[in-house]
Amino acid sequence: MRKMLVAANWKMHGSKAHIHEFVDGLRLAEDVDVVVFPPSVFVQELVQCAPAGLLSGIQDIGIQPQGAHTGEVAAEMVAEVGGTWSIVGHSERRIMQAETDDLVATKASAAFRGGLRPIVCVGETLSEREAGHELAVVERQLAAVLDRVDVNDLAEGAIGYEPVWAIGTGKTATPAQAQEMHAFIRAQIAAESPRAADAIRIVYGGSVKPDNAAELFSEADIDGGLVGGASLKADEFSAIVSAADAVGKG
Ligand code: PGA
């Protein structure tokens, strides 16, 4: 079975003091992979004070290993300071930084090249869902990644299904809506490799909270969560980790 994965996307929040306070209050679970994504400048601080079993990574990466790319950070550099994961294709970057499907796919590939595992985010906007296009949008986003990344490599990373209308809004997809999309994503991966489809973690993101985590994580194809707002406080985030542990697919 797949080990549950619960990730904290701190976005542009946090400080050194916050990292120490968070780590002191965090409760891990042996059967859950827990990854925290602080702002890039704090990854090293987190790595240095993380208890055994707490993983860390970066919220976005550049596509080159090095060079004249002002402001970018390479996956290789994150790996050098002990980071092991990268988010790529978060909807805030797709929307605010105009990241295309192709760029996101290139970033997923760059993550593997540099020794990081990507959580590749996909998800439709509210208007796309209202128009009935949610499956087509996610299919297109995922197809771009499968074009550039070997499906068996991809299985070492994860997919984050994050409906844009559920992010930071307090509106969570129902467990049934999320499960439908997760099963759809897994079927697309299975069409290339049933083994990869069986292995890859597909996590849900969008207003995951301690009080809705258990029912989301109980769905067959939901292998954990990518948590924004509720990941900033150690006690709330720990409760979500514990909900994943209780489901115990690991
Ligand atoms: P949220 O954010 O939990 O605050 O909705 C999730 C995300 O953007 O990854």
Side-chain angles (χ1 to χ4, degrees):
M1 283 307 282
R2 295 176 290 274
K3 188 172 182 184
M4 297 293 276
L5 169 65
V6 177
N9 175 13
W10 283 4
K11 310 192 179 186
M12 204 169 71
H13 297 286
S15 61
K16 280 193 186 185
H18 180 250
I19 285 173
H20 289 274
E21 193 187 319
F22 181 88
V23 164
D24 285 348
L26 182 64
R27 295 181 306 279
L28 295 169
E30 209 175 297
D31 291 332
V32 181
D33 281 338
V34 178
V35 191
V36 174
F37 295 96
S40 59
V41 71
F42 296 131
V43 170
Q44 189 166 16
E45 184 75 17
L46 179 58
V47 166
Q48 282 168 355
C49 73
L54 175 61
L55 304 169
S56 178
I58 188 164
Q59 298 168 13
D60 175 50
I61 48 165
I63 58 176
Q64 309 291 348
Q66 61 171 23
H69 305 288
T70 304
E72 297 284 69
V73 177
E76 285 80 352
M77 296 168 179
V78 181
E80 186 179 342
V81 300
T84 48
W85 285 80
S86 171
I87 298 174
V88 302
H90 191 279
S91 61
E92 283 153 17
R93 297 201 59 84
R94 288 181 187 262
I95 295 165
M96 297 176 209
Q97 316 297 329
E99 291 195 2
T100 61
D101 294 340
D102 192 48
L103 179 62
V104 171
T106 306
K107 288 187 174 190
S109 162
F112 285 116
R113 182 206 62 222
L116 302 181
R117 298 171 184 237
I119 297 182
V120 182
C121 296
V122 296
E124 79 287 357
T125 62
L126 183 60
S127 59
E128 287 164 341
R129 179 165 279 266
E130 284 174 349
H133 295 158
E134 67 274 16
L135 296 179
V137 168
V138 169
E139 183 173 19
R140 188 200 72 219
Q141 292 170 336
L142 191 57
V145 177
L146 291 169
D147 268 359
R148 283 199 186 261
V149 178
D150 180 272
V151 71
N152 293 304
D153 290 343
L154 189 61
E156 300 292 318
I159 303 293
Y161 170 55
E162 298 207 308
V164 178
W165 48 272
I167 295 178
T169 57
K171 265 195 213 170
T172 319
T174 63
Q177 281 172 322
Q179 167 58 24
E180 181 196 23
M181 188 63 86
H182 283 230
F184 176 73
I185 291 168
R186 201 175 304 284
Q188 273 194 83
I189 295 170
E192 300 223 357
S193 161
R195 196 165 56 92
D198 202 39
I200 194 167
R201 269 88 61 89
I202 306 176
V203 298
Y204 169 80
S207 299
V208 176
K209 308 284 176 212
D211 62 2
N212 61 22
E215 56 171 357
L216 285 161
F217 298 166
S218 302
E219 295 289 343
D221 289 294
I222 302 184
D223 307 313
L226 179 53
V227 188
S231 74
L232 288 164
K233 291 201 182 121
D235 56 343
E236 281 189 38
F237 185 65
S238 299
I240 295 170
V241 171
S242 151
D245 190 35
V247 168
K249 295 182 193 161

